[in-house]
Amino acid sequence: MSTVLPDSRSLLRRTLGERRIALVAWRLLVLQNSDPAVAAGLAHFSTYRAHPWRRVEHTMDSGQRLFFSDREGLQREIARLERTHRRIQGTDGQGRAFTALDPAVRVWVLVTLYESMTAMCELSGAPLSAGQRDLLYGEFRTVCAAFDLPGELFPATAADVPAYMDRTIRERLEYTEAAHDLLFQMLRQAPSPRRLGRLRPAWPLLRPVIAHLLTALTVADLPPAFRERFDLRRSRGAAALSWTLHHGMRHAMALLPDHLRYRSGATPPSATEHPTATPNANAGSNSGGNDNGGNGKSPLGTLRALRLPLPRPRRSGRRSARQVRVEAFFRQVVDQTGDGFITAADLQAMAHNVCWQLELSEEQEARVYAGFDTWWQHIRATMDTDGDGRVSLAEFTTAVLAGVDRDPDYLRNGLHVALRALFRAADTDGSGYLTADEYRVLFGGSRVHPAELNHGFRQLDADGDGQITEDEFLRAFTDYFTARTDTTAGAQLLGRP
């Protein structure tokens, strides 16, 4: 097996980098999440139900870093994944121990990605030849070798992959709650995607239509062994939808210029440079795609994925402005799973999202997780009045309002510990303060107008020096919870209330 990573002209990067790979993305997630260990990890540690699009973005971004990176970037991403997955372990609902570091589980997740690439080509009416499958699988295994997983767990050759898929489907996979959610529930409840733009008001009308079509497409495209085992019927309408979309997208992609057809890092070669390529499998001319390895973003740019937006609350009824702010903070910030309660999983999810896009060392990540764990311990000790191990909206609101009035150190002993960890992670250059750009990146999002962010920054930058210190940052959050009116600067973290 080659030790040279696939470059921008490789069959692997071209196939994975073609934008129509999105057609099999949901199929890929269903296959992966039908593994009981993967499903258990999601159930215990993921916020995919409340934040499905963030889950998809994380998956896509990690794939970009793994398969479109140089060796240094690849090793960094693998190390980051291992640090994250080390925390994902426990016991599932049937009493079975699980860990995200199980080699067999990791191999399954990787092989399903290769299988999805071949499925994309086959479903579009342009299946890869035996030689192309061998080439693609060889390039794929070169990347997988960096994971240092037992080689015997992988199918030996490309020709062995179908048997591996059938065997795993029949012997290991289960119709998990996560798989059912992906197929039949998640999109019917999902919030609007950030990129929907001006169509976002129409999302409640578009959502059931999109959910129905994606369910039909995914069921039609799943391997026959999977449909047979779990009694998922492929209707004639679904089969027609699959044929139309896959064939239509293949022909449409061939008409697009390369910068629209391929993601960054996937540059198609000329026919003479890759004699194994055929017009059916890889149409397109040579382009000067920039192989940035998925790391072309600036450190500040990667912070956009944190998405920890503080709400802009409104006074409602007889509730005070402060109570409205606290309730909004619970719903939009702390309750990451969206189930109406705060548990350790919510705080761990927040720490995970802080660390996910940042190039943090293991020590830095540990500090972030430790900060949020300290906050959770404080929440549990001061708010869980019924002792059920979780905190409701009523418990949270009552405890915060009473706590900040009674004890000047109430926030300092809990929330502030996590905020210090957040501030120091966001302070990517180690300057000791946040600039306006860092502030906008940290709190920005599709729901917040840039003018509001600029206003919020100016409110907190009391001395007008163009930067926010850690003390100013903490003071703003303190004011957010303690201010009696919305005119206090801290109540305007995201602009005018």
Side-chain angles (χ1 to χ4, degrees), residues 2-44:
S2 172
T3 59
V4 179
L5 289 180
D7 62 18
S8 60
R9 301 184 180 190
S10 66
L11 181 59
L12 174 67
R13 289 196 180 183
R14 297 195 323 272
T15 306
L16 188 58
E18 193 169 9
R19 296 188 187 278
R20 64 189 173 104
I21 194 72
L23 289 176
V24 293
W26 216 256
R27 172 189 185 276
L28 169 66
L29 291 176
V30 170
L31 288 173
Q32 291 179 344
N33 290 292
S34 295
D35 184 286
V38 177
L42 282 178
H44 286 76

Side-chain angles (χ1 to χ4, degrees), residues 269-480:
S270 65
T272 58
E273 289 171 317
H274 234 300
T276 58
T278 65
N280 280 340
N282 297 288
S285 61
N286 195 0
S287 73
N290 176 29
D291 182 11
N292 59 17
N295 294 310
K297 300 177 182 177
S298 68
L300 296 180
T302 60
L303 278 169
R304 292 192 184 279
L306 298 181
R307 301 298 179 195
L308 294 174
L310 287 177
R312 290 187 293 161
R314 297 288 189 269
R315 187 186 297 272
S316 177
R318 295 184 178 180
R319 292 179 298 162
S320 68
R322 187 168 61 138
Q323 181 178 347
V324 174
R325 286 198 301 270
V326 173
E327 291 176 353
F329 189 85
F330 177 96
R331 293 192 180 98
Q332 299 184 26
V333 178
V334 193
D335 181 15
Q336 288 283 300
T337 57
D339 63 355
F341 295 92
I342 306 173
T343 65
D346 292 289
L347 277 295
Q348 187 171 67
M350 293 177 72
H352 171 76
N353 291 321
V354 170
C355 296
W356 181 256
Q357 296 288 350
L358 300 178
E359 296 293 345
L360 301 178
S361 67
E362 187 168 0
E363 182 180 354
Q364 289 172 317
E365 281 199 3
R367 285 198 293 266
V368 171
Y369 275 92
F372 279 86
D373 182 64
T374 297
W375 185 18
W376 162 243
Q377 298 302 333
H378 184 260
I379 287 174
R380 186 175 64 174
T382 62
M383 302 181 187
D384 184 15
T385 55
D386 57 7
D388 64 351
R390 58 184 188 173
V391 174
S392 67
L393 171 62
E395 288 175 320
F396 182 84
T397 304
T398 301
V400 169
L401 294 177
V404 296
D405 287 342
R406 180 182 64 251
D407 183 3
D409 291 330
Y410 183 79
L411 296 178
R412 189 179 307 165
N413 294 331
L415 174 63
H416 281 193
V417 179
L419 290 177
R420 289 185 189 277
L422 172 61
F423 181 94
R424 292 167 187 177
D427 179 20
T428 54
D429 59 3
S431 63
Y433 55 81
L434 298 182
T435 64
D437 286 339
E438 289 172 313
Y439 177 87
R440 283 191 291 266
V441 169
L442 183 60
F443 291 116
S446 58
R447 291 182 294 178
V448 187
H449 193 279
E452 294 295 293
L453 287 167
N454 292 337
H455 171 79
F457 181 85
R458 288 194 299 269
Q459 289 292 311
L460 302 189
D461 181 20
D463 57 7
D465 64 352
Q467 59 193 35
I468 298 173
T469 66
E470 186 173 308
D471 286 342
E472 288 174 323
F473 187 71
L474 296 176
R475 191 181 311 123
F477 278 87
T478 299
D479 290 346
Y480 182 87

Side-chain angles (χ1 to χ4, degrees), residues 146-293:
F147 283 85
D148 198 25
L149 295 166
E152 62 270 17
L153 294 179
F154 286 90
T157 68
D160 296 316
V161 171
Y164 166 85
M165 294 292 298
D166 280 0
R167 183 173 63 254
T168 305
I169 288 171
R170 298 182 190 282
E171 298 177 2
R172 179 178 176 87
L173 298 195
E174 299 174 0
Y175 188 62
T176 63
E177 184 179 354
H180 179 78
D181 282 352
L182 283 163
L183 283 172
F184 298 108
Q185 291 186 359
M186 186 183 300
L187 280 178
R188 288 167 173 79
Q189 304 167 355
S192 62
R194 293 197 315 272
R195 297 182 180 180
L196 206 56
R198 295 181 179 179
L199 292 177
R200 291 185 68 182
W203 177 245
L205 298 176
L206 295 173
R207 180 167 54 191
V209 177
I210 294 173
H212 176 75
L213 293 176
L214 188 55
T215 294
L217 174 68
T218 304
V219 170
D221 291 350
L222 283 166
F226 189 97
R227 296 199 305 270
E228 177 184 338
R229 181 174 181 196
F230 301 118
D231 195 26
L232 295 171
R233 189 173 67 87
R234 184 181 192 242
S235 67
R236 291 183 179 180
L241 174 69
S242 172
W243 190 96
T244 301
L245 286 177
H246 284 287
H247 285 69
M249 285 295 289
R250 174 170 66 87
H251 292 294
M253 288 288 109
L255 299 176
L256 293 177
D258 294 336
H259 72 279
L260 294 178
R261 180 179 180 181
Y262 296 95
R263 298 177 65 192
S264 176
T267 306
S270 65
T272 58
E273 289 171 317
H274 234 300
T276 58
T278 65
N280 280 340
N282 297 288
S285 61
N286 195 0
S287 73
N290 176 29
D291 182 11
N292 59 17

